[in-house]
Amino acid sequence: MPIYEYRCNDCGTRHEHLQKLGEAPLERCPDCGSMQYAKLVSAAGFQLKGSGWYATDFKGGGASSNPSSSEASKAPATATEGGCGASCACH
């Protein structure tokens, strides 16, 4: 459940409340009882820094999608690459 920050426009107090995503925003200040209690927009509670999971797992992390020349030489030749032909059983 996310933590939302609220501020009362009448008394100026700020509070954090743990609420479900679908739950209606709070309207009454718990300190003064005013109906001027508003949800604030604040920064996320976490930050991704360094070479974290996103950079390595989702964006490729430096792993090349092109095979190296040594890997390409190990692959069998196809008929279009000058191999033994399409009628053989080696493909």
Side-chain angles (χ1 to χ4, degrees), residues 5-67:
E5 187 176 9
Y6 286 83
R7 181 182 182 276
C8 178
N9 291 331
D10 287 343
C11 67
T13 60
R14 289 181 178 227
H15 294 284
E16 292 180 344
H17 298 279
L18 185 66
Q19 292 182 285
K20 293 181 181 179
L21 289 174
E23 195 172 333
L26 300 176
E27 297 176 348
R28 185 175 300 274
C29 175
D31 290 344
C32 70
S34 169
M35 294 299 286
Q36 298 297 317
Y37 203 50
K39 187 188 292 189
L40 301 176
V41 176
S42 55
F46 69 95
Q47 294 180 357
L48 301 175
K49 294 182 178 180
S51 60
W53 58 270
Y54 180 79
T56 57
D57 293 342
F58 289 101
K59 291 179 79 177
S64 175
S65 61
N66 297 333

